[in-house]
Amino acid sequence: MEERRKMRILFVDSDEDLRSFCSEVLTGAGYSVELASSGTEAYWKLKETSFDLVITDIKLKGMDGLGLYLDTLKIYSHMKEKFLFMTEDSCSDFESQSVITRLNEKYLLKPFDIKELLKKVEALTGANLSAFFAMYRGLDENRRMERRLCWAEDCKVFEDGSEVPRPFTQTADISKHGVRIRYMGTPLRQEDTVYISVKWLSVESRALVVWSREINDLEAASGLKLFDPVTAASLSKVLQNRKTFIPPLVSREEGN
């Protein structure tokens, strides 16, 4: 475990939500993670310090992912097999995927399953994440065994008997039968019933608080199991308007 914690990963993507989300997952798996929003920023970070792995999107402002890779090899030839590219399954990215394949490098198609990301990272860093994966086995019946879309949108959550919603509440991910939220204040009580409203998706439903935890001194997060499922039309709206991917494995306490 100690050896893995010393491994450093540079994650490069222009999407702030994706950077934050993947950083949380990789940090939880025991890696030290640095973030960059552009190829140029990533290049300067690489010049200043060493990394065991670089995970980068192909499409970046200024210097793109392939440019970052080629310029990095000019100063660090040992990084040749220490890049993992992210690319979309679209015609515009087919040429880049072909180049990556010829270079014998690895890539992930967006949207991707977080398990696939972790397995590729495990292989490229030589770490053993079996203990990390084992933490998430045997989840109870409240676990959402369905695809979740990482998606941030303002919403309102009312506790039973209250006419005042929790302040500064946003969704973190959403699926047909559940939603993960972040908000200001103390954690909601587990197994309480709340009411959630997400206007942009026309979601109005009572929900069960499956789990709750503190994020920091000011914020908390909860997983809600919806009494009324989100419609297929609403989920399609998310897919059409947001960058989406499968959220991470969750612990027994974070079953929703």
Side-chain angles (χ1 to χ4, degrees):
M1 178 66 71
E2 183 64 27
E3 180 182 354
R4 187 170 74 250
R5 288 190 181 279
K6 293 180 181 179
M7 290 187 176
R8 295 172 56 82
I9 294 177
L10 178 60
F11 190 93
V12 192
D13 198 284
S14 58
D15 187 324
E16 183 178 358
D17 289 338
L18 182 60
R19 291 198 308 272
S20 176
F21 176 75
C22 289
S23 174
E24 180 181 345
V25 173
L26 293 168
T27 299
Y31 295 98
S32 175
V33 183
E34 286 277 340
L35 302 175
S37 60
S38 68
T40 302
E41 181 185 2
Y43 179 73
W44 285 109
K45 284 181 179 287
L46 281 160
K47 289 193 71 174
E48 292 172 357
T49 187
S50 61
F51 292 90
D52 299 283
L53 179 66
V54 178
I55 304 173
T56 181
D57 194 16
I58 289 292
K59 294 180 179 178
L60 296 169
K61 294 179 180 178
M63 181 188 296
D64 64 14
L66 285 175
L68 173 64
Y69 169 78
L70 295 173
D71 281 1
T72 299
L73 292 189
K74 293 177 183 177
I75 53 176
Y76 300 121
S77 59
H78 68 278
M79 293 293 293
K80 185 180 186 315
E81 296 182 356
K82 296 299 181 181
F83 268 71
L84 175 60
F85 296 94
M86 297 176 291
T87 177
E88 295 179 0
D89 189 11
S90 63
C91 293
S92 61
D93 276 4
F94 286 167
E95 183 177 352
S96 296
Q97 292 166 19
S98 177
V99 172
I100 295 169
T101 301
R102 289 200 302 271
L103 292 170
N104 198 31
E105 296 293 348
K106 307 296 186 294
Y107 67 85
L108 281 169
L109 289 177
K110 291 182 176 180
F112 51 78
D113 187 325
I114 204 66
K115 290 182 183 179
E116 184 183 2
L117 169 65
L118 288 172
K119 286 185 179 298
K120 286 187 180 293
V121 169
E122 181 181 36
L124 289 167
T125 60
N128 183 353
L129 299 185
S130 58
F132 176 73
F133 282 115
M135 292 168 56
Y136 300 93
R137 292 176 185 157
L139 301 176
D140 61 28
E141 67 275 8
N142 285 322
R143 167 73 189 274
R144 276 185 286 160
M145 303 300 290
E146 57 192 9
R147 187 184 190 202
R148 302 188 223 174
L149 308 178
C150 183
W151 171 72
E153 190 73 29
D154 291 339
C155 63
K156 292 183 178 181
V157 172
F158 299 85
E159 296 171 81
D160 260 355
S162 175
E163 296 183 359
V164 180
R166 280 294 181 118
F168 304 105
T169 303
Q170 280 196 329
T171 61
D173 74 56
I174 192 165
S175 67
K176 183 176 181 180
H177 296 99
V179 61
R180 183 160 55 106
I181 59 172
R182 295 180 63 145
Y183 49 90
M184 301 291 288
T186 58
L188 295 169
R189 289 183 299 182
Q190 190 172 337
E191 298 188 356
D192 272 7
T193 300
V194 298
Y195 178 83
I196 181 169
S197 171
V198 190
K199 281 192 174 182
W200 191 74
L201 286 181
S202 301
V203 171
E204 305 278 343
S205 176
R206 294 178 67 78
L208 175 70
V209 180
V210 177
W211 60 266
S212 288
R213 65 177 174 85
E214 289 185 349
I215 298 176
N216 52 47
D217 291 340
L218 298 176
E219 288 185 289
S222 295
L224 308 181
K225 185 176 183 179
L226 301 174
F227 291 0
D228 300 314
V230 180
T231 65
S234 293
L235 291 175
S236 295
K237 189 176 181 182
V238 177
L239 282 167
Q240 292 167 4
N241 289 274
R242 307 284 174 169
K243 288 188 176 180
T244 59
F245 52 98
I246 308 297
L249 299 165
V250 292
S251 68
R252 186 182 300 275
E253 289 75 21
E254 297 184 3
N256 199 51

